[in-house]
Amino acid sequence: MAEPDGTGQEAEGAVRGVTGTGGEGSTEPCGELADAWAELVATARRTVADGLVVGTSGNVSVRVGDTVLVTPSGVPYDRLTPADVTGVDLEGRQVLGTLVPTSELPLHLAVHRTTDARAVVHTHAVHATAVSTLVDELPAIHYMTAALGGPVRVAAYAAYGTPELAGNTLCALDGRTGCLMRNHGTLTYGATLDQAYDRTAQLEWMCRVWLTASSVPGLTPALLSREQLAEAGERLRGYGQRR
């Protein structure tokens, strides 16, 4: 969700551990931070354009050094500018901007502190949210399940923005790069915003496939075995262009 969850703090000027902060008196990021913020805003806008969120629901973060840039609370993504950059350290102290960070900041920080994530995408995608109300684990309907580390679990419900939700989500993410969140949505992470977003899109698509197949009267969808998923996982490691 995107409801306000506190008050913002004044930016502290140059941020330690990253390049490209404007220093004292600066209102906009530059260099590495500016590029990361622009990519974060583009990703957030993409979640709306692709129907994965409605309004300002959902949120996105990307880590640059020891700074985590996050979408601010309650601001339409099409209105975000470079001057709206919002960043915190790994303990949640605001170091960039004056806008209040997303109310799901505890969730994002828990993932950044606990995993090798450099980017996190959280959405309220329709089919994924629907599936989260029906099962404890998304059935292995497609081999792309392996791309998320195995069968996708559903994190137990807790109120948005709480440490309990962050903890439940981390449990569901154990050994995975994505999960569903009961009666809530999705969370995926990756080494880049593009990778995290692609995993979100794949997860929503798999949920849609399973719901569609499960809706056929008198028939039960065929599912992949763990052995088949393991084989797919091995093949996926060599997928794509090598640099």
Side-chain angles (χ1 to χ4, degrees):
M1 295 294 291
E3 289 79 356
D5 63 337
T7 57
Q9 300 174 352
E10 295 296 328
E12 296 180 356
V15 178
R16 292 175 296 177
V18 298
T19 61
T21 54
E24 186 174 357
S26 175
T27 59
E28 295 186 10
C30 57
E32 187 178 8
L33 283 171
D35 292 343
W37 178 251
E39 188 177 0
L40 179 148
V41 171
T43 301
R45 291 174 178 171
R46 189 178 176 191
T47 65
V48 177
D50 290 352
L52 299 178
V53 304
V54 176
T56 59
S57 66
N59 23 78
V60 179
S61 68
V62 61
R63 182 174 174 179
V64 183
D66 292 331
T67 299
V68 178
L69 303 181
V70 296
T71 46
S73 180
V75 180
Y77 300 140
D78 61 353
R79 298 182 188 175
L80 290 175
T81 70
D84 296 322
V85 62
T86 305
V88 301
D89 64 18
L90 290 170
E91 300 305 316
R93 292 181 292 264
Q94 190 154 357
V95 296
L96 281 174
T98 58
L99 294 176
V100 177
T102 172
S103 58
E104 292 289 16
L105 185 60
L107 177 64
H108 285 261
L109 291 180
V111 176
H112 282 290
R113 288 194 299 255
T114 308
T115 73
D116 60 357
R118 306 304 292 183
V120 177
V121 175
H122 167 51
T123 78
H124 295 176
V126 172
H127 300 92
T129 303
V131 169
S132 79
T133 70
L134 299 173
V135 296
D136 294 325
E137 183 178 275
L138 174 64
I141 193 72
H142 193 271
Y143 66 78
M144 284 303 291
T145 299
L148 296 177
V152 178
R153 307 181 189 101
V154 179
Y157 179 82
Y160 76 88
T162 61
E164 289 78 11
L165 178 61
N168 292 349
T169 303
L170 288 180
C171 287
L173 284 173
D174 185 26
R176 307 287 186 266
T177 54
C179 71
L180 301 177
M181 302 162 68
R182 180 85 70 202
N183 298 89
H184 190 149
T186 69
L187 185 137
T188 60
Y189 70 86
T192 65
L193 280 165
D194 281 344
Q195 185 179 60
Y197 185 86
D198 182 65
R199 286 169 173 168
T200 296
Q202 291 285 357
L203 179 53
E204 166 67 357
W205 178 80
M206 286 191 293
C207 288
R208 184 176 183 180
V209 169
W210 182 74
L211 285 172
T212 301
S214 298
S215 69
V216 179
L219 296 177
T220 300
L223 302 177
L224 298 177
S225 67
R226 292 193 177 274
E227 291 75 20
Q228 289 169 325
L229 287 178
E231 179 186 14
E234 288 296 324
R235 296 183 66 83
L236 285 169
R237 288 189 180 91
Y239 179 77
Q241 301 298 315
R242 297 181 181 180
R243 296 181 180 179

